[in-house]
Amino acid sequence: MSTYEARLSALREQMTKDGLDGFVVPICDEHMSEYVGDYAQRLAWLTGFGGSAGSAVVLKDKAAMFVDGRYTIQVRDQVDGNLYEYVGTADKSMIDWLGENAPEGSNIGYDAWLHTQDWAKSAEARLAKRGAQLVAVKSNPIDAVWKDQPEPSLLKLDVQPDEFAGKSASEKRADIAAWLKEEGLDATVIAALDSVAWAFNIRGKDIANTPVPRGYAIIKADGSAQLFVAPEKLTDEVRVHLGNSVALRDYNEFPAALTEYTDQKIGVDPERSVAAIFDQLEGAGAQIVKRRDPTILAKAIKNETEISGHKAAQARDGAALSKFLHWFSQEAPKGGHDELTVAAKLAEFRGQSDKLMDLSFRTISGAGPNGALCHYSVNEKTNRKIETGTLYLVDSGGQYRDGTTDVTRTMAVGEPTDEMIKRYTQVLQGHIALAKAVFPEGTTGGQLDILARQYLWADGVDYAHGTGHGVGAYLSVHEGPQRIAAFGGFNEPLVAGMICSNEPGYYKDNDFGIRIENLILVEERDIAGAEKNMLGFETLTFAPLDRRLIDLSVLSDNQRQWVDDYHAHVLDIVGPQLEGEALDWLKEQCQPL
């Protein structure tokens, strides 16, 4: 019996003990985080799936894995098809699958600390049509059978100084208090980890690559707050920083604390707060008012200090990446390197800066066919050699105290094929179209998404991921609420001060992948005679593109000019940080087309 077969069997035995006929397993924690701590990696432990988005349903006689288009190939590589049916969420949702497969009269368990209330209500309604019921478990059955499950992190918190935050924590909470008064609320629950970090100007090390502390907060209309964190994580510096207006309570006291708000009006974000929070408040007789977490938009719209810091972080990150690209251009054609060694070399170049705190996510280092897995994660088993005649895709970033970076470059190893050049050029044309976009206030990311896809669509191809996501300020590399995509958050208007990624791509299964990603800042545009307030993008990321992959014959004069202007900026910003052969190489790469 394989490891994952044994674990599935153990879960089913525990389900029987708990009176369950099925159980839902998401990738999630108690804060609805995208990336979770090791203790919360229940889906990976159960199935072997290493992606950042997915879920499973386990019934007594069958099980299924649910992933979106980013992971359709990866899930087949990592999850045993003899144990789990593969289901693409574009074709069928988990709730619909449950509605078709849950036995009549069955009890389907879920952990109310890992799902939203809206999800639970939808699942409950669908199962009811089947004659089955959704049951909130008292304890997660996976935790009962995961014998070596890690404990939650107890690493110390630290302070994010005002010189980087641009606004004090007390000022931020005063703004939240003013909002609560306007809304007629007594308090609001802050459950998202990056929201807690932002509101209190604190950071942590509880999740790999994302500098957030594991904690909850309740902020009141009088400006006072309760912060729930493990006491072992607090330092004297953090206590002094938080001051007397913040009551520090143990993380484990949070569920009980919710029962203290009988007859009070409490704002709760239904998208970022789990069902258990609603259950606790409802049980205590609180008046729940569903409102978006008040930090979300304020956090997304960067202040001048955050923008300045981000540009400084991008400049040093661009130098590290450019040094790597020079090294890669010299070493990759020689052979002897693989995805792991190359990713380690890039981390080494970033690590030359004493300002680097961490990587911003696990580097996507994809050679040849692995580059076609758009959210590929290399390991010892999947590690491929860098071979001549292939493309290499690297998506990476750094966490600096003054900013978070995220950048993707695709490089040819040896002579690229005509098809590689054609697709790279189409992706570049889409990237340029989005970078050059000018649009009125109120425009959403969903309205702009087609700009990046148009050249691929014209040739009958596409990519199965969003074109852009928000980015935090020494916080999460994926930050809402804005997205440039045709799905999920696409209705959020873009506002000056928001930072997004611009990352169209193309992926040919079992052959190659292409992505070009820069970060862009939404900025106001002063246009003579304009009848509306207009916005555009300022490109923030600077590292050279692979000239060998650009088909000059299909670029318009304006597109050529954009590339030339971009490379001139790269040379201006990155050049002074390089020397010797690396600088000579950069100058060559940044010559006008």
Side-chain angles (χ1 to χ4, degrees):
M1 182 181 292
S2 72
T3 298
Y4 295 111
E5 186 178 5
R7 291 174 180 179
L8 182 59
S9 177
L11 174 58
R12 284 178 167 141
E13 290 178 12
Q14 186 64 40
M15 284 163 42
T16 299
K17 293 178 184 177
D18 295 344
L20 300 174
D21 302 292
F23 187 67
V24 179
V25 187
I27 300 175
C28 199
D29 62 8
E30 302 87 344
H31 307 271
M32 300 305 299
S33 305
E34 177 185 13
Y35 301 113
V36 302
D38 291 344
Y39 80 95
Q41 292 282 3
R42 297 178 179 92
L43 185 66
W45 176 85
L46 179 67
T47 68
F49 179 64
S52 64
S55 54
V57 173
V58 177
L59 303 178
K60 288 186 174 181
D61 61 347
K62 66 178 70 173
M65 273 290 307
F66 301 84
V67 295
D68 61 30
R70 296 172 295 173
Y71 295 110
T72 52
I73 298 175
Q74 182 175 335
V75 72
R76 285 165 171 78
D77 290 338
Q78 296 178 332
V79 178
D80 189 343
N82 295 316
L83 303 178
Y84 296 89
E85 173 189 351
Y86 307 124
V87 182
T89 53
D91 301 319
K92 184 174 295 184
S93 72
M94 179 210 299
I95 290 175
D96 286 338
W97 188 92
L98 271 171
E100 295 172 1
N101 290 276
E104 184 177 349
S106 61
N107 292 323
I108 306 300
Y110 81 107
D111 188 335
W113 286 98
L114 303 179
H115 297 270
T116 65
Q117 185 187 57
D118 289 347
W119 179 91
K121 286 184 175 181
S122 296
E124 188 175 40
R126 188 69 175 84
L127 285 168
K129 294 180 180 179
R130 183 79 173 178
Q133 63 177 342
L134 188 69
V135 179
V137 298
K138 293 182 179 179
S139 61
N140 194 304
I142 291 182
D143 296 349
V145 297
W146 187 357
K147 300 305 182 186
D148 57 350
Q149 183 179 20
E151 293 294 326
S153 164
L154 292 178
L155 294 172
K156 302 294 187 183
L157 277 62
D158 67 351
V159 175
Q160 176 71 342
D162 291 356
E163 65 178 292
F164 298 119
K167 192 170 190 176
S168 72
S170 59
E171 289 176 306
K172 291 178 179 180
R173 294 196 297 275
D175 289 345
I176 294 170
W179 172 82
L180 287 167
K181 290 174 183 175
E182 290 175 6
E183 295 290 324
L185 301 173
D186 296 300
T188 185
V189 173
I190 307 295
L193 298 183
D194 61 338
S195 294
V196 173
W198 183 88
F200 293 86
N201 281 353
I202 55 176
R203 298 294 188 266
K205 299 177 181 178
D206 295 340
I207 294 177
N209 310 132
T210 306
V212 293
R214 185 170 178 257
Y216 291 100
I218 298 174
I219 300 177
K220 302 179 183 180
D222 63 5
S224 66
Q226 297 181 15
L227 178 62
F228 299 83
V229 296
E232 299 92 332
K233 301 170 67 63
L234 295 167
T235 66
D236 290 343
E237 181 189 13
V238 169
R239 291 178 185 275
V240 170
H241 164 73
L242 292 172
N244 295 330
S245 63
V246 178
L248 295 169
R249 301 182 64 174
D250 193 301
Y251 180 90
N252 295 322
E253 293 179 16
F254 177 70
L258 294 172
T259 66
E260 299 168 7
Y261 290 87
T262 302
D263 295 329
Q264 295 191 49
K265 287 187 176 181
I266 309 298
V268 185
D269 188 331
E271 183 181 342
R272 297 169 180 86
S273 300
V274 296
I277 292 175
F278 287 87
D279 295 343
Q280 290 289 108
L281 288 168
E282 288 170 355
Q287 299 179 50
I288 299 174
V289 181
K290 293 182 178 181
R291 290 288 187 274
R292 176 192 272 176
D293 172 344
T295 74
I296 296 301
L297 197 57
K299 173 159 50 69
I301 301 172
K302 306 298 184 279
N303 59 47
E304 288 303 318
T305 299
E306 290 171 322
I307 292 171
S308 176
H310 187 92
K311 289 180 178 180
Q314 286 285 2
R316 74 177 73 96
D317 197 69
L321 180 57
S322 295
K323 290 176 184 177
F324 165 78
L325 294 175
H326 166 249
W327 173 87
F328 185 89
S329 71
Q330 302 298 306
E331 294 297 322
K334 298 177 183 177
H337 291 285
D338 56 40
E339 294 168 339
L340 286 172
T341 61
V342 170
K345 191 66 178 180
L346 176 53
E348 179 185 321
F349 281 115
R350 279 201 170 94
Q352 291 174 1
S353 168
D354 59 4
K355 293 181 172 59
L356 182 74
M357 307 296 290
D358 196 356
L359 301 182
S360 57
F361 56 97
R362 186 174 180 183
T363 297
I364 297 172
S365 176
N370 286 345
L373 308 174
C374 54
H375 276 226
Y376 170 68
S377 181
V378 59
N379 56 50
E380 293 289 351
K381 182 180 178 181
T382 64
N383 188 28
R384 290 184 67 92
K385 293 285 186 182
I386 309 294
E387 298 176 339
T388 300
T390 65
L391 294 184
Y392 172 69
L393 183 155
V394 60
D395 186 348
S396 65
Q399 290 284 9
Y400 303 89
R401 182 64 79 170
D402 50 0
T404 298
T405 70
D406 182 5
V407 53
T408 307
R409 289 294 181 266
T410 306
M411 294 86 77
V413 184
E415 195 68 28
T417 66
D418 291 344
E419 182 182 23
M420 292 171 180
I421 293 171
K422 176 182 180 180
R423 296 305 185 204
Y424 184 93
T425 305
Q426 290 169 335
V427 170
L428 175 60
Q429 289 175 301
H431 181 98
I432 293 170
L434 182 58
K436 289 170 61 66
V438 178
F439 47 94
E441 280 187 351
T443 300
T444 67
Q447 290 173 291
L448 299 180
D449 183 71
I450 189 176
L451 294 176
R453 298 180 191 267
Q454 59 181 306
Y455 297 94
L456 293 165
W457 281 4
D459 213 23
V461 296
D462 199 2
Y463 50 94
H465 58 75
T467 301
H469 56 80
V471 177
Y474 186 44
L475 275 175
S476 176
V477 73
H478 292 160
E479 179 183 88
Q482 76 277 16
R483 290 192 70 206
I484 300 173
F487 48 84
F490 59 88
N491 285 325
E492 187 70 32
L494 297 175
V495 178
M498 287 179 170
I499 294 175
C500 302
S501 64
N502 173 3
E503 51 179 307
Y506 172 77
Y507 311 91
K508 184 177 182 181
D509 288 353
N510 299 312
D511 198 343
F512 63 85
I514 295 165
R515 186 158 64 250
I516 303 171
E517 177 185 16
N518 289 335
L519 298 189
I520 49 180
L521 172 69
V522 183
E523 61 176 1
E524 295 178 355
R525 286 290 171 87
D526 186 11
I527 298 175
E531 298 178 353
K532 293 184 176 182
N533 293 329
M534 302 298 291
L535 301 171
F537 294 118
E538 176 186 354
T539 295
L540 300 172
T541 305
F542 293 101
L545 304 168
D546 192 333
R547 302 165 65 94
R548 297 168 299 166
L549 288 166
I550 302 174
D551 183 353
L552 298 182
S553 69
V554 302
L555 291 189
S556 68
D557 290 343
N558 284 336
Q559 289 167 343
R560 284 192 184 209
Q561 190 63 53
W562 184 93
V563 175
D564 287 346
D565 291 344
Y566 177 73
H567 276 150
H569 285 305
V570 171
L571 193 56
D572 286 343
I573 291 168
V574 175
Q577 302 177 74
L578 303 188
E579 57 186 17
E581 292 183 4
L583 178 57
D584 292 340
W585 173 86
L586 184 69
K587 289 177 178 178
E588 182 180 339
Q589 296 305 305
C590 294
Q591 287 291 314
L593 294 177

